[in-house]
Amino acid sequence: MTFEPKPPSLPPSLRVAVLGTGMMGLPMARRLCQAGHQVHAWNRTAAKAEPLAADGAQLHASAASATAAADITLSLLENGSVVNQVLFAQGAAAAMRPGNLFIDMASIQPREARAHAQQLASMGLACLDAPVSGGTVGAQAGTLAIMAGGEATDFARAAPVFATLGRATHVGPHGAGQLTKLANQMIVGITIGAVAEALLLAAKGGADIARVREAISGGFADSRILQLHGARMVQRDFTPGARMQVQLKDMRNALATAQELGFDAPITALFETLYASGIAHGLGTLDHSGLFMELAQRNAMV
């Protein structure tokens, strides 16, 4: 089942809490406000949530206060341990009314998503793990790819929220959304490396990499990575959308999950070492396409 994106103006109005208003959470919360939903926002650093007040959001001093005012809660927190802390140690879950729906849209490990779902169910709360792909551009435009794991009935309940944020697909039971996101991030991280290495090889041999990228566009090697991140590489503009540090986290989550499943992932393991090396060389805050610079440094092309 897939929900397609619709423009902001989708009834009915829902009371939605948004926990975490960083690079992704802020534009997503703004779209929910613009769609007419009642948004209750919380962020650990309160100043990051303040711009939402102009969009009509109600700001809260605690996560529990925000969830107590909502029927559906979205989480865009840093990682699984932070989600666990906010939900259970800081009381955000306990403040929800029975039957409320929690949707974790951050990228965490599948086993963490399953554990959270089990604990929430014991409290009478529903849960979806629904990480996204599309970056800040997709968050602003409402064109995110949303990969949801959980019960089909809960996925249907989330339709008005998902339709405002992007295209949602129900991919299986609890944890399956996070598995799908890991697969997505494996493909993204590995493809960035392939594009970077190929363009650098062409440059080393004397070709104009802007023209190389143009020449192979539309052919079998074309991809969104070639188009979007290839342009960043040509321009050497690595202003972060998704940072190298986040890509490394995703690769490590993929490897941890592969180990749990008894699955050998040698290509992902190789790229984990490359991203880790780039971060060790001071590239961690660059966009993940900044792997280009790590490979350039290895070939004395900086």
Side-chain angles (χ1 to χ4, degrees):
M1 186 185 300
T2 297
F3 293 130
E4 296 293 340
K6 297 180 181 179
S9 65
L10 185 69
S13 176
L14 298 170
R15 298 185 300 176
V16 183
V18 179
L19 309 182
T21 57
M23 293 179 67
M24 294 294 289
L26 183 68
M28 291 167 70
R30 180 166 287 139
R31 283 194 62 84
L32 291 169
C33 289
Q34 293 168 350
H37 299 302
Q38 301 173 39
V39 174
H40 298 267
W42 171 82
N43 193 75
R44 180 176 56 184
T45 304
K48 291 186 177 181
E50 288 174 358
L52 290 169
D55 295 288
Q58 182 175 336
L59 309 186
H60 290 260
S62 71
S65 174
T67 60
D71 302 308
I72 294 177
T73 295
L74 305 186
S75 164
L76 291 133
L77 300 171
E78 184 177 357
N79 54 50
S81 63
V82 173
V83 174
N84 190 75
Q85 181 184 39
V86 170
L87 276 179
F88 305 116
Q90 296 183 20
M96 297 179 198
R97 290 184 297 279
N100 278 14
L101 176 61
F102 175 72
I103 308 175
D104 193 351
M105 304 192 80
S107 296
I108 68 174
Q109 293 190 35
R111 60 174 174 78
E112 293 174 314
R114 291 190 294 269
H116 294 163
Q118 184 175 12
Q119 189 165 350
L120 288 167
S122 72
M123 302 170 70
L125 301 169
C127 177
L128 294 171
D129 53 289
V132 302
S133 180
T136 53
V137 173
Q140 292 161 4
T143 57
L144 292 169
I146 305 168
M147 314 149 215
E151 298 293 335
T153 52
D154 294 325
F155 181 71
R157 288 173 60 190
V161 171
F162 288 157
T164 302
L165 301 176
R167 179 182 58 83
T169 304
H170 185 218
V171 295
H174 294 298
Q178 297 297 347
L179 274 170
T180 306
K181 179 60 186 290
L182 289 180
N184 181 87
Q185 292 307 94
M186 290 164 71
I187 293 169
V188 168
I190 291 165
T191 306
I192 284 173
V195 170
E197 189 167 272
L199 292 180
L200 284 164
L201 174 67
K204 190 76 168 180
D208 180 331
I209 63 170
R211 295 292 182 88
V212 171
R213 175 176 164 273
E214 179 183 348
I216 61 179
S217 294
F220 207 55
D222 202 358
S223 67
R224 285 181 60 81
I225 299 295
L226 178 67
Q227 293 303 316
L228 300 179
H229 290 312
R232 290 173 178 264
M233 295 171 191
V234 168
Q235 298 159 8
R236 297 205 176 194
D237 177 5
F238 301 109
T239 303
R243 289 180 168 86
M244 289 271 286
Q245 294 163 332
V246 174
Q247 184 67 56
L248 178 61
K249 180 198 77 169
D250 290 336
M251 297 306 241
R252 287 178 171 170
N253 281 345
L255 290 173
T257 299
Q259 185 174 22
E260 290 168 9
L261 296 174
F263 179 80
D264 184 22
I267 299 173
T268 301
L270 169 62
F271 278 88
E272 185 274 338
T273 64
L274 292 172
Y275 282 101
S277 180
I279 290 168
H281 294 150
L283 307 178
T285 59
L286 298 185
D287 184 82
H288 51 174
S289 56
L291 184 63
F292 178 93
M293 295 304 297
E294 167 64 16
L295 297 176
Q297 289 173 2
R298 288 175 177 236
N299 287 283
M301 297 174 68
V302 177

